[in-house]
């Protein structure tokens, strides 16, 4: 396994009817870091200590349904549910109005919704690898992006329940290779696969996609939270995207992104020599962008 910073503490937090597995380090204002798919909280192993050094209490939960976090009784996985979890974690962890929220991939979609629904809880937000909802919606009319997003449609089929776990979840390894070309992410992919080894956890992870594009369960309460993420953010935001991202093409990232990141001080950066998992591929560069933005 890849080296892990010795100061990172593994723990649990109970809130929103769930027990969340967490990684944390540091003292100070809350910096909540949300991972995506196919990933785990360990994706933030480089950023957490950097945030602690900058004076934050950095906490990365495993998302609902991702072991060791519990599978929710309601079986709801839409991004509004994950955003509600972030808001509940803010409360449970004693976050104030100086808290910051950082999200990658599914965590990015949850960050838009959490910041839109409860802007007073967050001083700033950082989002990576999935642009604002309006940009994503436009992207799905592009042949190139539809081709990259084939897996989302495959996950709607029961065939995926059988195909993804085959050969020690080799499907997950291939996604990492395709999304971050040239990056040796085997150790990090292995940590992600540990979240899905129980079929119930894998079903939960696929449930995120089924709630978004298919017939997965949804709730009006979470629909309202999710809808808040579609509006321009009132919280200063930094958007980061890898130039070589094989999941969401970097051609989607232009000044139009700023229309959704409307608060003064918001900006975006395309990170050279990085793919989808940019926080692991270029940690010094990405940490520098994030810490610099949060402390400016």
């Amino acid at each position: 396994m890849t080296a892990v910073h010795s100061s990172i503490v593994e723990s649990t937090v109970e809130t929103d009817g769930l027990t969340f597995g967490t990684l944390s380090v540091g003292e100070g204002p809350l910096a909540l870091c949300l991972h995506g798919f196919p990933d785990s909280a360990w994706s933030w192993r480089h950023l957490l200590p950097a945030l602690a050094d900058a004076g934050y209490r950095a906490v990365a939960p495993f998302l609902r349904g991702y072991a060791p976090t519990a599978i929710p009784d309601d079986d709801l996985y839409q991004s509004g549910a994950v955003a509600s979890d972030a808001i509940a974690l803010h409360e449970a962890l004693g976050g104030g109005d100086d808290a910051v929220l950082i999200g990658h991939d599914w965590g990015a979609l949850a960050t838009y919704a959490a910041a839109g629904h409860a802007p007073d809880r967050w001083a700033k937000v950082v989002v990576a690898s999935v642009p604002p909802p309006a940009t994503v919606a436009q992207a799905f009319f592009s042949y190139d992006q539809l081709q990259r997003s084939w897996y989302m449609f495959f996950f709607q089929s029961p065939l995926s329940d059988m195909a993804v776990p085959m050969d020690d979840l080799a499907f997950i390894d291939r996604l990492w290779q395709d999304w971050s070309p040239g990056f040796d992410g085997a150790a990090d992919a292995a940590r992600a696969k540990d979240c899905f080894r129980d079929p119930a956890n894998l079903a939960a992870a696929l449930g995120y996609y089924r709630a978004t594009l298919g017939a997965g369960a949804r709730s009006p309460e979470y629909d309202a939270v999710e809808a808040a993420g579609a509006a321009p953010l009132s919280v200063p935001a930094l958007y980061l995207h890898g130039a070589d991202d094989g999941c969401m093409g970097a051609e989607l990232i232009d000044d139009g992104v700023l229309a959704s990141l409307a608060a003064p001080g918001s900006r975006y950066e395309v990170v050279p020599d990085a793919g989808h998992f940019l926080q692991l591929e270029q940690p010094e560069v990405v940490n520098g962008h994030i810490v610099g933005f949060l402390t400016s």
Side-chain angles (χ1 to χ4, degrees), residues 108 112 125-139 229-242 248-263 265-270:
Y112 296 124
V125 301
V126 178
V127 278
S129 299
V130 174
T135 301
V136 173
Q138 280 187 315
L233 294 182
S234 61
V235 178
L238 169 65
Y239 181 79
L240 300 172
H241 201 96
M248 297 291 292
E251 74 274 5
L252 304 175
I253 312 306
D254 57 25
D255 288 346
V257 168
L258 292 177
S260 296
L261 311 179
S266 297
R267 60 186 178 87
Y268 71 92
E269 298 282 349
V270 176

Side-chain angles (χ1 to χ4, degrees), residues 13-20 64 72-74 80-89 92 221-222:
V13 176
E14 293 190 16
T15 189
D16 210 20
L18 290 171
T19 300
F20 289 86
R64 57 169 51 210
D73 291 336
D74 60 18
V82 185
S84 295
D85 291 342
I87 294 167
L89 284 163
E221 176 187 357
Y222 291 148

Side-chain angles (χ1 to χ4, degrees), residues 77-168:
Y77 299 106
Q78 63 189 103
S79 59
V82 185
S84 295
D85 291 342
I87 294 167
L89 284 163
H90 176 281
E91 188 77 21
L93 293 167
D97 59 7
D98 54 356
V100 297
L101 183 59
I102 300 161
H104 174 255
D105 192 84
W106 277 112
L109 289 174
T111 295
Y112 296 124
H117 186 73
D120 294 344
R121 292 181 181 267
W122 318 103
K124 291 182 178 180
V125 301
V126 178
V127 278
S129 299
V130 174
T135 301
V136 173
Q138 280 187 315
F140 272 89
F141 291 95
S142 155
Y143 180 89
D144 288 340
Q145 188 54 50
L146 281 167
Q147 188 176 46
R148 294 187 193 98
S149 300
W150 68 272
Y151 67 96
M152 299 181 68
F153 303 98
F154 177 63
F155 288 166
Q156 308 308 315
S157 168
L159 183 62
S160 63
D161 297 306
M162 296 181 286
V164 176
M166 292 177 66
D167 192 20
D168 189 35

